[in-house]
Amino acid sequence: MKKIISLALVAALLTTIFVIAASASALSFSVRIEGVTKNIYDSNLDISSEGSDPIEYTVGKALQYISDNDESITIEGIADNYISSVNGEQSGQYGDYAGWYYSVNGVVPDIGINDYKLQDGDSVVLFYGDYPCQVPVLDLKDVENGVIKVQSYDSVWYQDELGEWKSTSDWAPVAGAKLSLNEYEYTSDENGIVNFDRSKFKENDTVYAQISKYSDKGAPQVLRFAKGYNFALGAVSGETQPATVEPTAPVTEPVTEVPPTTESKDTVVSVPADKTLYRGQTFKINAEIKNPVGKTSYISNRKSIASVNKSGKVTARKKGTATITVKNNGVSKKFKVTVKNPKLNKKSITLKKGKTFKIKITGKAGTQKYKSSKKSVAKVSKKGKITAKKKGKATITVTTNGGYKLKIKVKVK
């Protein structure tokens, strides 16, 4: 029995290429970001520093650079090690398991974007996808006969002769995907095979290819090819054409979710009581595992509300309720996480000129920002202290916990 888990979704929310220059003090990046229905970003940029010290760039830092320097790109969630939104396309918007994922050299790492250090020649992809989203590669060995095989390089779990679970890497078919070849469109079968009419193409035609597959809720289930991706008929027979950088070696690192093993009566899993968090707050699951076997997995049924990493750290994303499952050796326990939005101590206040009021936030996390719509009427300090300046009305906006905004109306007599 085999359990196939797409490498495109091994991590807890990028094919963009960042090529780091040979110089220790210079980096060269080529970036591609794919949204739900279209490409969002595709550009090159060079970064250099003074002196000979090497530049250390994580995927998160690279994305922050793009977000800071390109007015057309807004990326949220970088500080939280989890991309929650790009240009308004929110994780969870198209299903509980739909969201932003990233890959490096065709493989999705099992660490966050702020922990992955880029190396020379790395190819990075930020993309919106539904679980499981596949990274497609075209097998063109039989293209001259009108046959193309669409597949992805996936992590495969299997049981050996002793019944132990192990993982290796192998190719898996991309079934039910629409493949366009110039103006013609075809659909791959259950084996990932596309049969096309070879007579419609000349011997040395350049064929521009694009691929798509969406869930019922509209989330991509296969990563699009880069714009302009093509191959020349007559020159590719017997080749495999990657849509992104093909993995250069088998991936043997275990995925976050350990495949099920035979349940042991000796293994006991205990979890905390149901937890209430405010948006942006985190909580470490201190599960008690008696007689554990292998690794413990942590799974959220609604990642858009409360995500959990492989170490059991829960992050509250937005208002709602999610169920976290803690599993070891086939034994699992569940508990609920309820996420609430932060709230202010007042929604509206009336002050006399010269008087002050201190804003207090229930459920705050991280750093808050305060802004007044009319500073001449009521100004607000960096610490949330409102000072009435002159007669009139103003609105104070408080931005907290990953971009969530609260407002308090101020009337000055």
Side-chain angles (χ1 to χ4, degrees):
M1 175 182 177
K2 293 185 179 181
K3 181 178 180 182
I4 300 176
I5 301 175
S6 174
L7 282 177
L9 296 161
V10 174
L13 24 206
L14 310 158
T15 287
T16 307
I17 302 173
F18 277 78
V19 179
I20 305 180
S23 170
S25 58
L27 301 175
S28 178
F29 302 98
S30 171
V31 183
R32 182 163 74 97
I33 303 175
E34 294 292 341
V36 177
T37 61
K38 63 181 180 180
N39 172 268
I40 294 176
Y41 185 87
D42 193 351
S43 183
N44 299 316
L45 66 101
D46 296 308
I47 299 173
S48 61
S49 67
E50 297 180 359
S52 58
D53 292 336
I55 297 177
E56 288 194 354
Y57 246 67
T58 62
V59 172
K61 187 174 181 179
L63 293 175
Q64 189 64 62
Y65 184 93
I66 296 170
S67 187
D68 290 343
N69 290 276
D70 192 316
E71 294 182 355
S72 67
I73 305 295
T74 301
I75 304 175
E76 298 180 358
I78 297 174
D80 297 325
N81 224 13
Y82 170 91
I83 302 300
S84 58
S85 172
V86 178
N87 285 8
E89 294 186 355
Q90 300 278 348
S91 291
Q93 185 176 348
Y94 297 88
D96 290 342
Y97 296 101
W100 289 96
Y101 300 91
Y102 84 101
S103 68
V104 179
N105 301 332
V107 178
V108 173
D110 59 357
I111 58 177
I113 55 174
N114 296 319
D115 300 315
Y116 195 102
K117 294 182 180 179
L118 295 172
Q119 302 296 321
D120 285 355
D122 277 347
S123 174
V124 182
V125 184
L126 173 61
F127 62 96
Y128 195 106
D130 191 23
Y131 185 89
C133 189
Q134 294 180 280
V135 179
V137 173
L138 298 186
D139 183 341
L140 302 173
K141 293 184 178 65
D142 202 21
V143 69
E144 280 298 319
N145 295 317
V147 178
I148 295 176
K149 185 175 183 180
V150 190
Q151 53 189 345
S152 63
Y153 199 60
D154 293 342
S155 177
V156 179
W157 285 96
Y158 66 95
Q159 284 183 300
D160 62 14
E161 61 276 6
L162 299 177
E164 295 182 358
W165 281 98
K166 294 184 178 180
S167 66
T168 185
S169 298
D170 206 348
W171 295 99
V174 178
K178 291 184 178 179
L179 180 68
S180 64
L181 304 175
N182 292 349
E183 68 268 34
Y184 307 106
E185 187 175 272
Y186 306 90
T187 301
S188 61
D189 64 16
E190 66 275 11
N191 297 311
I193 300 297
V194 171
N195 292 288
F196 68 99
D197 188 349
R198 178 66 179 81
S199 65
K200 293 182 178 180
F201 301 87
K202 296 180 181 178
E203 182 177 355
N204 294 312
D205 271 358
T206 296
V207 179
Y208 290 88
Q210 191 51 267
I211 192 168
S212 65
K213 181 182 179 181
Y214 290 88
S215 69
D216 293 339
K217 294 185 178 181
Q221 292 183 318
V222 62
L223 176 63
R224 283 187 298 276
F225 296 159
K227 184 178 181 180
Y229 171 70
N230 66 82
F231 57 88
L233 285 176
V236 298
S237 183
E239 296 183 5
T240 297
Q241 296 290 317
T244 62
V245 176
E246 183 179 340
T248 56
V251 179
T252 57
E253 292 294 324
V255 296
T256 301
E257 181 181 356
V258 178
T261 60
T262 302
E263 181 174 344
S264 169
K265 295 181 180 179
D266 295 329
T267 300
V268 178
V269 178
S270 299
V271 298
D274 293 350
K275 190 75 175 178
T276 297
L277 298 175
Y278 286 90
R279 177 173 173 160
Q281 292 182 336
T282 60
F283 168 69
K284 181 68 169 65
I285 302 173
N286 292 316
E288 295 183 8
I289 313 294
K290 181 181 178 182
N291 299 322
V293 177
K295 291 191 174 183
T296 300
S297 64
Y298 303 87
I299 306 167
S300 171
N301 73 327
R302 303 185 74 184
K303 296 180 181 179
S304 62
I305 291 175
S307 62
V308 61
N309 67 13
K310 64 179 181 179
S311 300
K313 180 183 177 182
V314 177
T315 301
R317 300 293 177 187
K318 69 178 183 180
K319 186 177 180 180
T321 301
T323 298
I324 306 296
T325 301
V326 182
K327 188 174 184 180
N328 183 280
N329 192 28
V331 180
S332 62
K333 289 290 183 180
K334 299 180 179 181
F335 72 100
K336 292 183 179 180
V337 175
T338 300
V339 180
K340 296 182 177 181
N341 287 330
K343 59 182 180 181
L344 303 180
N345 52 340
K346 292 284 186 179
K347 292 185 178 180
S348 63
I349 57 173
T350 299
L351 298 175
K352 292 182 179 180
K353 182 179 177 181
K355 295 296 182 179
T356 62
F357 176 81
K358 182 68 170 66
I359 298 175
K360 294 181 180 180
I361 306 171
T362 300
K364 66 181 180 180
T367 303
Q368 289 72 49
K369 295 182 180 180
Y370 304 88
K371 184 178 181 180
S372 173
S373 63
K374 291 184 179 180
K375 295 180 181 179
S376 60
V377 174
K379 71 175 185 178
V380 61
S381 71
K382 293 181 178 180
K383 294 184 178 181
K385 181 181 178 181
I386 301 174
T387 301
K389 304 294 290 181
K390 70 175 185 179
K391 185 178 180 179
K393 295 180 180 180
T395 299
I396 305 299
T397 300
V398 183
T399 304
T400 184
N401 301 11
Y404 186 68
K405 293 183 179 181
L406 299 161
K407 295 183 179 182
I408 179 171
K409 293 182 179 180
V410 181
K411 181 180 180 180
V412 180
K413 292 182 176 180

